[in-house]
């Protein structure tokens, strides 16, 4: 089929319909009335010889062809946007697109608030979605994703192959324990770490820095309970005899009368959160703007001055934060 015979307006309609799975919401997304969107759906159904969307109860679901087209239509729309904005200056005030970042619940909780403020100040219409990192595909590059992410926030130690990145902020590991746990009244020792049971995050279970260190010392720590989110760890430690390892910036947000932030009694490598992106986005004006926005939010978090290098500078870990006294925590987040 020759592309000259295709109405490319239908590509935008297809992308919106497959993403929203609702004619009214798809029309609202494109600024079209419901009758106009219904007509676009009818034309798409004739073109593909498939219903694309079928009603199931009170909702619409995608047909198998619709599911297959969702990823390709999103990628095609992205290429169209890049093609027609390549020679233009990027104007955030008129950018109505939705950017997608993948991040852990920890990174979203820490970076999310300053990023929300930065986005609100930078653009009245641009949207940003923070999606959870898929456990089986942290970089979000597996085939079949509804849309490739615009960026991925991952520790530098988990650098995705072939992706450029820029350092956002560093953090360090501390332990959380219930405040009424008598075993930690005097702080933590290596023996206490080995004797008490642990709740661990699934993503670091295999390479848990404390447990690995204890095993290297010939000890056998107990870690039989794991969860899928860092923000769940404090709730499972509260009121129990368990310990958990957690990032200090998150620990200071959740610790209170029922939880104690405790110093690990040996040195651990810092967590260096990094923004990674597909090399194809490196010179795209909208993605450069997004990377600057995320980096600016991270500078607000750390109180660091503006960067002296472009956003795609090579990643370098910052030095770890100063040491806490056992059993005490900072009054500030960083």
């Amino acid at each position: 089929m020759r592309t000259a015979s295709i109405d490319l307006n239908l590509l935008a309609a297809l992308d919106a319909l497959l993403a929203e799975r609702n004619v009214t919401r798809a029309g609202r997304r494109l600024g079209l009335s419901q009758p106009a969107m219904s007509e676009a759906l009818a034309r798409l159904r004739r073109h593909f010889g498939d219903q694309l969307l079928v009603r199931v109860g009170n909702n619409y679901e995608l047909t198998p062809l619709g599911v297959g087209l969702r990823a390709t239509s999103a990628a095609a729309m992205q290429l169209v946007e890049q093609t027609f904005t390549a020679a233009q200056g990027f104007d955030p005030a008129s950018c109505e697109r939705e950017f997608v970042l993948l991040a852990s619940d920890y990174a979203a909780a820490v970076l999310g608030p300053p990023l929300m403020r930065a986005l609100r100040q930078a653009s009245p219409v641009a949207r940003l979605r923070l999606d959870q990192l898929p456990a089986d595909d942290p970089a979000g590059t597996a085939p079949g994703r509804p849309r490739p992410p615009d960026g991925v926030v991952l520790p530098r130690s988990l650098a995705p192959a072939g992706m450029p990145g820029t350092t956002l902020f560093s953090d360090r590991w501390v332990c959380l324990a219930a405040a009424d746990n008598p075993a930690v009244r005097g702080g933590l020792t290596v023996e206490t770490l080995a004797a008490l049971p642990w709740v661990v995050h699934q993503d670091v279970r295999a390479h848990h820095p404390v447990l690995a260190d204890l095993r290297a010392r010939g000890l056998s720590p107990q870690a039989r309970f794991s969860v899928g989110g860092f923000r769940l760890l404090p709730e499972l430690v509260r009121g129990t005899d368990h310990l958990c390892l957690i990032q200090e910036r998150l620990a200071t947000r959740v610790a209170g009368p029922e939880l104690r932030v405790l110093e690990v009694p040996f040195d651990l490598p810092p967590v260096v959160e990094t923004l990674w992106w597909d090399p194809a986005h490196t010179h795209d004006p909208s993605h450069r703007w997004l990377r600057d926005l995320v980096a600016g939010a991270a500078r607000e978090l750390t109180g660091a001055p503006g960067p002296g290098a472009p956003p795609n500078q090579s990643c370098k870990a910052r030095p770890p934060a100063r040491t806490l006294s056992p059993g005490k925590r900072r009054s500030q987040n960083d």
Side-chain angles (χ1 to χ4, degrees):
M1 178 179 292
R2 301 177 64 179
T3 56
S5 64
I6 300 175
D7 182 355
L8 289 181
N9 288 323
L10 288 179
L11 176 59
L14 176 67
D15 182 53
L17 285 163
L18 297 182
E20 300 292 345
R21 303 188 187 191
N22 181 281
V23 173
T24 302
R25 288 199 301 270
R28 191 179 302 126
R29 176 170 170 170
L30 298 180
L32 297 177
S33 66
Q34 184 171 357
M37 205 68 219
S38 296
E39 172 60 23
L41 176 57
R43 292 177 62 191
L44 287 165
R45 284 170 167 169
R46 289 195 296 271
H47 174 83
F48 287 104
D50 187 90
Q51 289 296 298
L52 300 178
L53 292 171
V54 293
R55 185 180 288 278
V56 178
N58 294 325
N59 300 309
Y60 280 97
E61 291 187 3
L62 301 183
T63 65
L65 178 61
V67 172
L69 288 172
R70 186 175 177 190
T72 56
S73 68
M77 281 297 297
Q78 195 169 54
L79 286 173
V80 168
E81 289 177 3
Q82 291 176 4
T83 300
F84 284 94
T85 61
Q88 303 174 11
F90 177 70
D91 180 15
S94 59
C95 174
E96 298 185 10
R97 66 171 293 180
E98 180 181 65
F99 296 93
V100 178
L101 294 179
L102 301 185
S104 67
D105 60 342
Y106 151 70
V110 171
L111 187 60
L115 187 52
M116 288 172 60
R117 291 191 292 270
L119 179 66
R120 184 173 177 82
Q121 293 173 1
S123 173
V125 289
R127 292 166 292 143
L128 178 63
R129 191 173 83 232
L130 289 176
D131 279 352
Q132 182 74 24
L133 286 166
D136 56 346
D137 179 32
T141 57
R145 276 191 58 84
R147 172 184 167 182
D150 296 295
V152 183
V153 180
L154 275 174
R156 192 179 176 194
S157 59
L158 301 177
M163 284 191 175
T166 183
T167 299
L168 296 177
F169 62 91
S170 62
D171 207 341
R172 65 191 198 101
W173 295 107
V174 295
C175 284
L176 274 184
D180 59 357
N181 186 340
V184 299
R185 276 189 192 138
L188 290 176
T189 64
V190 171
E191 292 73 23
T192 306
L193 293 176
L196 291 178
W198 286 77
V199 182
V200 299
H201 188 282
Q202 291 172 359
D203 289 351
V204 297
R205 175 173 46 187
H207 306 287
H208 196 288
V210 168
L211 303 186
D213 189 284
L214 294 176
R215 293 187 186 109
R217 296 168 187 258
L219 301 172
S220 302
Q222 307 173 53
R224 295 193 298 269
F225 203 95
S226 62
V227 294
F230 285 105
R231 290 181 64 86
L232 288 172
L233 292 171
E235 297 306 316
L236 295 171
V237 167
R238 195 188 313 271
T240 74
D241 62 346
H242 284 61
L243 298 174
C244 75
L245 189 71
I246 193 170
Q247 303 88 342
E248 184 182 11
R249 293 181 189 276
L250 183 56
T252 57
R253 283 164 165 76
V254 300
E258 297 178 338
L259 290 171
R260 293 182 64 191
V261 181
L262 298 163
E263 190 71 28
V264 180
F266 44 79
D267 291 334
L268 294 175
V271 183
V272 183
E273 288 293 327
T274 305
L275 175 65
W276 308 95
W277 63 89
D278 190 306
H281 298 329
T282 296
H283 301 294
D284 180 86
S286 63
H287 284 83
R288 285 202 300 266
W289 173 79
L290 174 67
R291 298 196 299 269
D292 285 343
L293 192 76
V294 177
R299 289 195 298 274
E300 179 184 334
L301 181 69
T302 62
N312 60 340
Q313 61 187 308
S314 61
C315 300
K316 293 183 180 179
R318 295 173 184 163
R322 63 180 176 83
T323 303
L324 294 174
S325 299
K328 295 183 180 179
R329 63 185 179 93
R330 297 187 199 172
S331 60
Q332 297 181 356
N333 295 337
D334 57 349

